[in-house]
């Protein structure tokens, strides 16, 4: 498939935003049961939410570049019963809404206790909002991933690993960002976020590697033989019916040279996993804002490459009809 | 339930592209149009077409076959392109099974094109909406046209009559009978899309010659005395046996 | 059940008031299908095949369906143009002038030339369909220097068959696929009758007929052949001779047919000392000399064992084979005996080595043909009478049919190859019979047809029409158009001893000869509808230089060049004066019985084109230009007695022109007579155009069934044809298995006749190639090439979706063929280390071209090929300078020469068939090799990009064609 930058940015930005929100809420949950104490929780959560929301908004904004008719985007909620894209379009604003509420509540400290428990649970209301946000966050991850995973003939995508990867990679980048963010706003959380960021990144490495291995071994169900219905071992396309290119030759091919394509894989493996893990470890030790932000920046750049590769690697069966590109 | 479709006979298709451009000219000025072209007079001209004819070489010299292969939307009975469309712009008509795009709803997200394994959809780069073969829905129901012309433009154009049009659900229709009798098949059956369009395979005619067909009493060479006359003075059974 | 109503109504019909539908005839190619044009608000919305048209019955091709993009193309010329002072030819620098100026310029020049030496005005026309009018104009002007494209196109096909069976493929006849059981297509990619052929092929296959294609390449039609037989280019004569050999050897020929309808059983004088050597022995001199084959030859009667007059009207039983002696001792042989002897050496094994086709395959082919012809006979219950008065209750057919085209024709051995094919068809008994070959009116013609050119320089006189037709059919050496020394009178050297039977002229040598001044320099060259600075010329790069070449005084060697074209072709750039023609949707045209009509097997058909749109800009139909010029020059056919203009306009000319005053024969054969009650012959009918229009723009006369077959010998038909003035004589047209016409030329070359004699250096050539029986020889260029250095054959073929160079301007069609590859068999490419998709050089002894390699398994390994005329010169055809056509697309013509290497026949002998002058396009020998590591990946040769000319429509950066404006 042709990797569209709008979609690469969309998925990586909202993934990070979602991960950041999950990190914030993790911190609040920990704080709620007194695992950690936060100096300035209101601001921390509020600004954190603002950052998450910004990421989501920029992501959403970038997605509009993918549309031929952004002014009609509202129509895309119509088919939520059948379309994961429609569902994503519903889940994203819903999630954004809750992130917004979450941030606002923290900013204004408006956090009534609804249920009295024996435990000293603070800010119950925001916790419930956070839980709903978390649910929506995961729903959004699933919707986004399922847009790709549900296309059964895009065999590279059609796998639970796609969903797992979207969740883990988004969360990992969110936690790495949270680590850097906390180095500025709440250094006491650096270790918590940093540790989780490392764990999730490493888990993502496992699942992403699993999908790479799986994809390398895929036997494509469609062949030239099934595509044109001729049983012969030696079929060669001689003409595609067009010579100057078409939608079919642009939309479904990455267009990169094989060498570049392969090196992108190694690049993202290094940038998303190796370098950030090392930098996180270094940065955690001395709460270095620079190092931690670098860790995030590199991981994010790596994710752009990862997402490029995710699209580029998917081999659409329609390409069987467009072999002479 | 009606399911209109095309049946394409690869046995007679000569790859002339008449279906390609007749489709373009009918549809570009019709409700499905326009169908834009970029760099029409420059480098790498490219444009929107609902139908393409491709060519495949099969086998090695000298046993090479050349198959011309026209491809447009197959109007799948289980069209994967429809449910994925977030806006409902992609739809399958219940009354005749034609899969269409409602241009006024389409947001141009291209998702449906990803969901079509056949590469049958093309985004119009200027109208920014998804387009594809409409089975000439604007012709086939146009009562101002004489009855025999209420057919898709490509079907009317095709010089070899390689494109048959009709209801594949009606078991006695021309298309159903041909599919049954000439081994009609669907493309990429592995995905369960159940394309309504079918293809008919190549069929070969051979002439079988029996040795004895070369030997005939009325061979004209005999008349010219060129077939050897039998020699009379050599021995025969008559000379050695009596019954 | 129904779907919710969509917002965008997919069925919405525009209001009918904006719509108009008109019938006319397509001219996106020479097939001439009937079309129906739908206009919306006066713009073309849709062009469909006319279902009521006899030729295409509603179907249409890719080109026909893209007429919109031709009509509104940015390559259109819309203004008369004059080359800018100071600009060179080829620069494409023009200024607009008025038509009045254009006419004055032409008038002044042409009047002067006509007063002094009319042959200094030469007029050559390309793929036009109005040779009847252009030929008339040339004749009236008095110049012999006129021809259309036939000479470089397929004259071998026309001449080879017409000199043998009195009809031909091409536009003159074809295979009866409706009834055929076995169809063999040789060397055809697309051809003129393309839509009907596609339609018929499909029906034929569905009826279970077997389709065999013999071609070095498998494309187009061949794709659906049941069997593809790859053959080495230029070797078909070897195959056909071997097939003939095997068919005779196994006795699979139709003896009755040969005896009755050919000269097979007729006796030939074998006395080497006789002036009649090699001629048929004749009983008595016929009472009337005419353009027909008198029935006075002899054959050897079996009953009386003696020579008697070959009379089919009485009981007869002649020998088909044998050598005999006449009473006076003259040795004689039957023609069939001669053929039999000739074929002796042409065994399948011999042919295998030459053609690359296994001997066993050749045998099987011969058997399949012979047995199908013999055992699958068709008997139609159609009673007919033969020309000798015998009644037949049925028409018999041997259902084996053939079609062949330029794969045979475009070789310098094509004439004899096609003779061999005609003989094969005759041996199988398939001429004008059901399931075999069928003629189309006005064919069959006498062998050879009657029209003759003038015979010498004295027939070309100032201010006088030419004394004869500019093109004709020589029957013997005295018919040649040569001077006392045997040198050509025509610029192109047609009808000279170099190319005696060049019946369609030799347009491909016009420019080179004019440039060299050999046989003489000319003054004005008018080119109509031919792209001779590009794809219809051989040796393109040099020819472009010749067009622009000047003498010591700085004068152009070809002093004045007029081009009438509708588009900004490569040729236009070289013009001094450009005349913008209309498109086919903007003008009247006739597909006339005087030219090559669109007749069907069942009878004559002619058709017209009527304008469905007004002319664009100042475009003017070329016919109107000729009428105006003819009037200004006072050419007799175009003026009244008082010297004033005779015809209001072209439609008026078509209606009122008669070949001779009161002849009743004119351009159109339908609805003649005052009220349209007559056809073929009759007084002019003022409402003729309207009547054609009402009838889908065609006139179709269906012959009575009993006149539809065996027309060479069908009394009813021949008398009908005579009565309707299709022919002068109702005499039988017997098949020339043995060609006496050719023998006459050979005898002259041997110095055995009193008539015209060839110059000495051509004697051997004429003697060799004017063999009365077909034979195989290697194409001339191959004979004169270093085949070790240039081991491959290079050929081109027609893409179905493009017509010559016409369609690169077409935004839709050019997306299908944006550029072309050189197709190479992987085995051949690998031997040179060339990968699929890599750039390579293809080089002949004449030049080289850089292009892209594409592997193909559907290709004989000793051959490389490409699509014809896709490559373009930069900036031509309204394209941007960097369009793929000029950067990746290439023209093979750069490696093809219009002349042969110097050899004993001369230094500048045309690269053509030595009999007919047919251009040897497919004879070139090449080698291929990789491009150097640092070479550019751009086609070579490159030419400086030209700019559009004044009046060309704006080139749009994108299109979204919607007739009638946006919704
Ligand atoms: N290498 C190679 N060369 C070949 C051949 C081959 O097989 N191989 N084939 C040869 C053969 S058979 C042929 S017939 C020739 C064809 O060669 P040409 O007869 O030269 O055909 P084109 O160049 O396509 O078209 C001639 C011109 O007609 C113009 N034209 C189109 N429509 C109109 C119109 O309505 N009015 C006027 N006035 N002009 C119009 C076009 O703009 C173009 O400039 O090519 C020959 N050249
Ligand atoms: N679409 C389209 N139709 C056209 C034209 C066009 O340009 N486009 N041009 C028109 C014109 S002017 C003409 S003359 C006709 C020509 O019609 P065709 O004769 O069909 O044209 P070519 O493409 O020259 O076809 C030559 C075929 O002969 C094969 N061939 C070459 N050499 C040999 C040989 O030695 N032996 C055998 N057996 N085969 C050989 C080639 O591979 C090719 O398939 O087409 C007419 N119709
Ligand atoms: S062919 Fe493609 S676009 Fe057409 S119905 Fe099937 S899936 Fe949809
Ligand atoms: S491009 Fe249009 S039709 Fe396709 S999925 Fe998107 S909205 Fe639906
Ligand atoms: S049915 Fe109509 S829209 Fe579809 S390919 Fe044919 S002409 Fe085009
Ligand atoms: S029009 Fe008919 S013969 Fe031509 S490419 Fe299309 S299907 Fe094949
Ligand atoms: S075959 Fe020729 S005349 Fe017929 S529709 Fe096509 S372009 Fe027109
Ligand atoms: Mo031609």
């Amino acid at each position: 498939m042709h990797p569209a930058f709008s979609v690469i940015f969309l998925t990586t930005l909202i993934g990070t935003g979602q991960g950041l929100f999950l990190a914030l809420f993790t911190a609040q949950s920990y704080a709620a049961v007194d695992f950690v104490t936060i100096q300035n929780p209101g601001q921390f959560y509020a600004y954190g939410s603002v950052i998450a929301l910004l990421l989501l908004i920029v992501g959403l904004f970038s997605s509009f570049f993918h549309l031929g008719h952004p002014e009609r985007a509202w129509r895309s909620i119509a088919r939520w019963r059948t379309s994961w894209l429609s569902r994503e379009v519903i889940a994203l604003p819903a999630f954004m809404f809750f992130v917004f509420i979450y941030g606002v509540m923290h900013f204004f400290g408006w956090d009534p206790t609804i249920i009295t428990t024996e435990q000293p649970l603070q800010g119950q209301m925001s916790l419930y909002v956070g839980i709903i946000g978390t649910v929506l966050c995961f729903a959004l991850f699933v919707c986004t991933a399922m847009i790709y995973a549900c296309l059964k003939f895009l065999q590279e995508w059609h796998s639970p690993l796609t969903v797992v990867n979207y969740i883990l990679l988004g969360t990992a980048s969110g936690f790495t960002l949270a680590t850097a963010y906390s180095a500025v706003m709440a250094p006491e959380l650096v270790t918590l976020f940093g540790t989780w960021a490392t764990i999730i990144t490493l888990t993502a490495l496992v699942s992403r590697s699993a999908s790479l291995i799986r994809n390398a071994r895929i036997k494509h169900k469609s062949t030239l033989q099934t595509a044109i219905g001729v049983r012969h071992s030696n079929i060669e396309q001689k003409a595609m019916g067009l010579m100057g290119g078409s939608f079919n030759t642009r939309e479904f091919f990455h267009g990169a040279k094989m060498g570049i394509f392969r090196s992108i894989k190694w690049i993202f493996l290094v940038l998303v996993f190796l370098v950030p893990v090392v930098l996180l470890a270094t940065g955690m030790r001395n709460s270095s804002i620079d190092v931690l932000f670098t860790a995030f920046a590199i991981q994010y750049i790596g994710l752009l490459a990862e997402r490029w590769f995710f699209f580029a690697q998917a081999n659409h069966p329609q390409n069987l009809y467009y072999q002479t590109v | 339930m009606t399911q209109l479709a095309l049946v394409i006979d690869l046995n007679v298709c000569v790859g002339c592209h008449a279906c390609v451009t007749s489709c373009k000219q009918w549809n570009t000025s019709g409700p499905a149009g326009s169908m834009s072209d970029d760099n029409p007079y420059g480098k790498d001209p490219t444009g929107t077409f609902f139908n393409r004819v491709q060519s495949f070489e099969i086998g090695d010299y000298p046993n090479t076959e050349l198959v011309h292969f026209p491809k447009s939307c197959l109007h799948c009975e289980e069209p994967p392109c429809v449910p994925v469309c977030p806006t409902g712009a992609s739809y399958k008509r219940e009354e005749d099974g034609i899969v269409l795009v409602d241009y006024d709803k389409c947001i141009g997200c291209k998702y449906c094109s990803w969901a079509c394994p056949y590469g049958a959809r093309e985004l119009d780069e200027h109208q920014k909406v998804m387009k594809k073969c409409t089975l000439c829905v604007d012709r086939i129901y146009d009562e101002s046209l004489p009855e025999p012309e209420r057919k898709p433009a490509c079907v009317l154009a095709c010089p070899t009559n390689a494109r048959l049009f009709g209801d594949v659900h009606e078991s006695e229709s021309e298309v159903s009978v041909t599919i049954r009798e000439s081994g009609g098949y669907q493309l990429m059956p592995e995905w369960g899309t159940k394309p309504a369009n079918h293809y008919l395979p190549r069929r070969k005619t051979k002439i079988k010659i029996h040795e004895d067909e070369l030997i005939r009493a009325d061979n004209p060479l005999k008349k010219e005395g060129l077939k050897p006359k039998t020699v009379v003075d050599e021995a025969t059974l008559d000379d050695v046996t009596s019954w | 059940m129904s779907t919710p109503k969509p917002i965008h109504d997919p069925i919405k019909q525009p209001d009918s008031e904006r719509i108009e539908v008109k019938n006319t005839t397509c001219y996106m190619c020479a097939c001439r299908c009937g079309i129906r044009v739908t206009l919306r608000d006066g713009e073309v919305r849709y062009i469909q095949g006319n279902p009521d048209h006899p030729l295409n019955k509603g179907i249409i091709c890719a080109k026909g369906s893209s007429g919109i993009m031709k009509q509104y193309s940015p390559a259109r010329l819309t203004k008369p143009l004059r080359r800018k002072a100071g600009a060179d030819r080829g620069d494409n620098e023009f200024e607009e002038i008025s038509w009045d100026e254009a006419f004055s310029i032409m008038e002044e020049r042409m009047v002067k030339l006509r007063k002094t030496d009319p042959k200094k005005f030469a007029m050559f026309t390309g793929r036009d369909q109005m040779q009847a009018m252009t030929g008339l104009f040339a004749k009236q002007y008095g110049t012999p220097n006129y021809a259309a494209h036939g000479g470089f196109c397929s004259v071998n096909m026309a001449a080879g068959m017409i000199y043998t069976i009195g009809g031909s493929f091409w536009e003159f006849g074809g295979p009866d696929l409706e009834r055929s059981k076995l169809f063999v297509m040789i060397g055809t990619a697309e051809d003129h009758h393309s839509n009907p052929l596609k339609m018929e092929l499909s029906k034929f296959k569905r009826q279970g007929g077997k389709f065999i294609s013999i071609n070095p390449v498998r494309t187009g039609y061949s794709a659906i052949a049941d069997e593809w037989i790859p053959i080495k280019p230029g070797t078909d004569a070897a195959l056909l001779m071997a097939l003939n050999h095997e068919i005779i050897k196994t006795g699979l020929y139709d003896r009755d047919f040969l005896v009755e309808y050919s000269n097979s059983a007729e006796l030939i004088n074998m006395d080497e000392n006789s002036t009649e050597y090699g001629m048929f022995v004749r009983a008595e001199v016929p009472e009337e000399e005419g353009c027909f084959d008198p029935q006075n030859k002899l054959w050897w009667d079996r009953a009386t064992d003696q020579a008697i007059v070959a009379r089919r009207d009485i009981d007869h039983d002649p020998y088909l084979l044998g050598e005999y002696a006449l009473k006076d001792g003259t040795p004689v042989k039957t023609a069939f005996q001669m053929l039999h002897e000739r074929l002796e050496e042409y065994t399948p094994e011999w042919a295998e080595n030459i053609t690359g086709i296994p001997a066993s395959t050749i045998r099987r082919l011969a058997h399949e043909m012979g047995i199908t012809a013999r055992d699958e006979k068709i008997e139609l219950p159609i009673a007919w009478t033969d020309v000798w008065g015998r009644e037949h209750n049925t028409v018999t057919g041997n259902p084996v049919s053939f079609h062949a085209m330029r794969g045979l024709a475009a070789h310098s051995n094509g004439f004899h190859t096609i003779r061999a094919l005609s003989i094969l068809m005759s041996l199988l008994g398939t001429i004008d019979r059901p399931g075999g070959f069928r003629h189309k009116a006005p064919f069959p013609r006498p062998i050879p047809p009657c029209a003759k050119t003038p015979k010498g320089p004295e027939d070309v006189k100032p201010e006088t029409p030419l004394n004869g037709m500019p093109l004709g059919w020589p029957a013997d050496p005295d018919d040649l158009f040569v001077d006392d020394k045997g040198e050509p009178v025509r610029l192109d050297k047609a009808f000279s001893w170099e190319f005696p039977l060049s019946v369609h002229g030799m347009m491909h040598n016009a420019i080179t000869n004019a440039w060299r001044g050999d046989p003489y320099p000319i003054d004005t060259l008018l080119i109509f509808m031919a792209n001779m600075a590009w794809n219809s010329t051989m040796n393109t790069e040099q020819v472009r230089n010749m067009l622009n070449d000047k003498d010591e005084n700085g004068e152009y060697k070809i002093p004045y060049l007029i081009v009438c074209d509708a588009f900004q072709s490569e040729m236009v750039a070289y013009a001094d004066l450009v005349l913008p023609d209309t498109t086919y949707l903007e003008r009247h045209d006739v597909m006339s019985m005087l030219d090559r009509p669109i007749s069907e097997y069942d009878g004559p058909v002619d058709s017209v084109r009527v304008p469905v749109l007004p002319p664009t800009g100042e475009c003017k139909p070329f016919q109107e230009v000729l009428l105006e010029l003819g009037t200004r020059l006072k050419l007799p056919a175009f003026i009244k007695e008082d010297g004033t203009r005779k015809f209001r306009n072209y439609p008026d000319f078509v209606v009122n022109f008669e070949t001779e005053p009161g002849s009743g024969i004119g351009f159109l054969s339908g609805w003649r007579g005052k009220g349209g009650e007559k056809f073929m012959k009759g007084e002019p009918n003022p409402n003729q155009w309207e009547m054609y229009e009402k009838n889908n723009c065609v006139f179709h006369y269906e012959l009575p069934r009993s006149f539809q077959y065996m027309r060479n010998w069908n009394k009813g038909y021949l008398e009908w044809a005579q009565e309707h003035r299709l022919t002068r004589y109702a005499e039988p047209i017997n098949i020339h298995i043995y060609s006496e016409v050719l023998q006459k030329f050979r005898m002259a070359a041997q110095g055995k006749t009193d008539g015209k004699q060839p110059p000495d250096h051509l004697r051997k050539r004429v003697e060799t190639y004017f063999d009365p029986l077909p034979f195989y020889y290697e194409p001339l260029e191959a004979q004169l090439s270093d085949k070790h250095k240039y081991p491959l054959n290079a050929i081109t073929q027609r893409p179905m979706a493009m017509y010559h160079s016409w369609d690169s301007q077409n935004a839709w069609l050019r997306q299908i063929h944006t550029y072309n590859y050189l197709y190479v068999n992987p085995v051949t490419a690998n031997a040179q280390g060339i990968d699929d998709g890599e750039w390579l050089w293809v080089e002949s002894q004449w030049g080289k071209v850089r292009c892209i390699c594409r592997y193909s398994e559907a290709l004989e390994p000793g051959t490389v090929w490409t699509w014809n005329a896709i490559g373009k010169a930069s900036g031509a055809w309204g394209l941007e300078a960097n369009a793929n056509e000029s950067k990746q697309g290439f023209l093979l013509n750069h490696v093809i020469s219009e002349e042969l290497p110097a050899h004993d026949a001369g230094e500048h002998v045309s690269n053509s068939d030595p009999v007919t002058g047919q251009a040897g396009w497919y004879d070139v020998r090449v080698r291929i090799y990789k491009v150097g590591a640092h070479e550019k990946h751009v086609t070579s040769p490159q030419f400086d990009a030209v700019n559009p000319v004044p009046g060309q429509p704006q080139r749009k950066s994108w299109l979204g064609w919607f007739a009638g404006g946006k919704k």
Side-chain angles (χ1 to χ4, degrees), chain C residues 324-446:
Chain C
Y324 312 91
L326 297 181
K327 285 211 182 84
D328 62 4
T330 313
V332 294
K333 278 182 187 169
T334 66
F336 201 67
Q337 177 69 30
M338 300 280 283
L339 178 68
H340 188 248
E341 288 170 16
R342 168 60 53 87
L343 290 171
E344 206 95 321
E345 55 173 316
Y346 291 114
T347 62
E349 280 71 21
W350 166 85
E352 168 169 341
N353 287 327
I354 292 170
T355 60
I357 304 172
S360 56
T361 305
I362 299 177
R363 285 217 165 77
R364 175 174 54 79
L365 270 183
H367 299 166
E368 287 187 7
M369 290 172 189
I371 290 173
T372 307
R374 185 191 66 191
D375 294 351
E376 307 270 336
K377 270 204 172 24
I378 302 171
E379 288 262 320
L380 298 181
I382 300 173
W384 65 289
T385 309
D386 72 28
V387 73
W388 301 284
R390 296 175 298 183
E391 306 281 348
H392 303 261
N393 291 327
T394 58
V395 167
T396 313
N398 303 348
V400 180
S401 60
F402 294 81
H403 185 65
M405 259 306 282
R406 296 186 64 257
L408 300 193
H411 290 286
S412 56
N413 60 3
F415 177 79
H416 279 286
T417 307
I418 289 159
R419 282 259 301 139
L421 171 64
S422 312
I423 288 174
L424 172 62
M425 290 161 56
S426 305
L427 292 180
L428 294 167
T430 60
I431 307 303
D432 209 30
R433 286 173 127 187
F437 169 84
R438 302 284 307 282
H439 291 297
K440 292 178 189 170
F443 286 83
R445 314 297 307 163

Side-chain angles (χ1 to χ4, degrees), chain C residues 136-147:
Chain C
L136 172 77
F137 182 89
K139 181 179 153 110
Q140 290 279 313
Y141 185 86
T143 180
N145 293 323
Y146 161 82

Side-chain angles (χ1 to χ4, degrees), chain C residues 29-30 63 127 149 153-154 170 185-194 198 214-217 219 221-222 231-236 404-408 410-411 795-805 865 868 922:
Chain C
C29 88
K63 297 161 279 141
R127 278 263 25 127
H149 65 278
C153 181
S154 314
W170 205 358
M185 175 176 272
I186 315 179
T188 309
E190 174 71 348
D191 202 3
H192 296 288
H193 213 50
S194 48
K198 290 180 187 116
I214 302 174
N215 198 312
V217 187
T219 55
Y221 304 139
S222 302
I231 186 170
K232 292 195 183 127
T235 68
D236 299 76
M405 259 306 282
R406 296 186 64 257
L408 300 193
H411 290 286
I795 58 177
T796 62
Q797 59 197 301
R798 308 280 188 264
M800 290 183 175
M802 284 260 169
Y803 195 63
H804 298 294
S805 62
W865 76 273
N868 192 37
Y922 297 162

Side-chain angles (χ1 to χ4, degrees), chain B residues 11 21 25-26 28-29 33 37 40-42 44 47 57 61 64 94 102 138 160-161 213 223-224, chain C residues 3 7 13 40 45 47 62 202 205-206 218 255 302 374 814-815 856-857 880 884 959 961 963 967:
Chain B
N11 191 41
T21 57
Q25 64 152 352
W26 172 256
T28 189
S29 287
D37 297 294
Y41 305 106
D44 296 339
E57 273 181 16
Y61 180 85
T64 321
E94 287 179 15
D102 184 337
D138 56 332
T160 63
N161 188 24
E213 279 169 328
K223 187 140 190 179
E224 314 312 332
Chain C
T3 325
I7 313 178
Q13 304 298 325
R40 182 152 75 205
R45 183 243 192 276
I47 301 175
S202 145
K205 277 206 75 178
R206 284 179 176 162
R218 186 167 205 172
R255 186 183 188 280
R302 191 182 300 266
R374 185 191 66 191
R814 76 179 283 259
Q815 291 186 51
S856 170
E857 293 282 350
E880 288 167 25
N884 310 65
L959 288 173
W961 179 254
K967 288 179 267 192

Side-chain angles (χ1 to χ4, degrees), chain C residues 26 28-29 31-33 60-61 63-64 194-195:
Chain C
C26 184
M28 295 291 284
C29 88
C31 186
R32 300 160 290 178
C33 301
I60 190 164
C61 79
K63 297 161 279 141
S194 48
N195 262 344

Side-chain angles (χ1 to χ4, degrees), chain B residues 1-202:
Chain B
M1 208 179 73
T2 308
Q3 173 66 61
L4 297 180
L6 297 174
V7 171
I8 294 165
D9 189 351
L10 300 181
N11 191 41
V12 295
C13 170
V14 290
C16 69
H17 292 267
C19 48
V20 175
T21 57
S22 61
C23 168
K24 176 112 177 180
Q25 64 152 352
W26 172 256
N27 286 298
T28 189
S29 287
S34 57
M35 294 159 74
S36 61
D37 297 294
D38 276 280
N39 316 327
Y41 305 106
K43 188 172 154 47
D44 296 339
T46 176
T48 315
F49 284 79
F50 295 168
N51 182 33
R52 311 263 187 186
V53 178
Q54 314 191 312
S55 304
F56 296 87
E57 273 181 16
I58 296 160
D60 299 322
Y61 180 85
N63 301 312
T64 321
E65 292 287 334
L66 178 63
V67 168
H68 297 296
F69 183 84
K71 176 171 72 74
S72 50
C73 169
L74 307 165
H75 298 281
C76 302
E77 302 204 32
E78 301 289 344
C81 56
V82 169
V84 301
C85 171
T87 61
S90 266
Y91 62 107
K92 184 170 175 74
R93 287 158 54 99
E94 287 179 15
E95 62 268 40
D96 53 18
I98 299 180
V99 175
L100 290 177
V101 179
D102 184 337
Y103 294 177
D104 292 338
K105 284 188 191 157
C106 176
I107 54 172
C109 69
K110 309 187 209 170
Y111 191 32
C112 53
S113 71
W114 297 7
C116 166
Y118 306 103
R121 297 179 160 238
E122 297 192 6
L123 186 85
D124 187 294
E125 303 286 357
H126 292 273
Q127 247 163 297
K128 298 286 183 200
V129 294
M130 195 51 74
K131 300 195 168 174
K132 58 178 272 306
C133 158
T134 65
L135 219 53
C136 287
V137 65
D138 56 332
R139 281 194 72 83
I140 59 182
Y141 296 114
D142 183 352
E143 301 198 344
S144 68
L145 294 175
E147 166 69 37
E149 283 182 39
R150 287 181 218 156
K151 283 185 185 161
C154 59
V155 171
L156 294 176
C158 177
T160 63
N161 188 24
R163 306 174 75 86
L164 311 176
F165 168 72
D167 179 3
V168 290
H169 280 182
E170 211 230 288
S171 63
E172 288 318 308
S173 66
E174 183 198 17
V175 280
S176 299
V177 172
T178 318
I179 290 171
R180 271 201 308 277
E181 292 181 353
S182 304
Y185 64 87
Q186 294 165 316
L187 305 183
M188 294 188 188
E190 59 273 19
W191 303 120
T193 52
K194 296 209 203 134
N197 283 12
H198 283 65
Y199 286 77
L200 305 178
R202 279 276 165 80

Side-chain angles (χ1 to χ4, degrees), chain A residues 270-317:
Chain A
V270 170
L271 295 188
V272 176
F273 304 107
L274 195 67
V275 177
V277 168
V278 173
L279 289 180
L280 277 171
T282 330
M284 270 195 299
R285 219 172 306 135
N286 49 19
S287 285
S288 160
I289 297 174
D290 291 352
V291 172
L292 290 174
F293 266 105
T294 311
F296 168 71
I298 289 184
Q299 188 169 45
Y300 183 74
I301 292 168
L303 273 181
L304 294 178
E306 186 275 340
R307 214 44 51 93
W308 185 93
F309 190 82
F310 171 78
F311 285 101
Q313 198 193 22
N315 195 353
H316 200 287

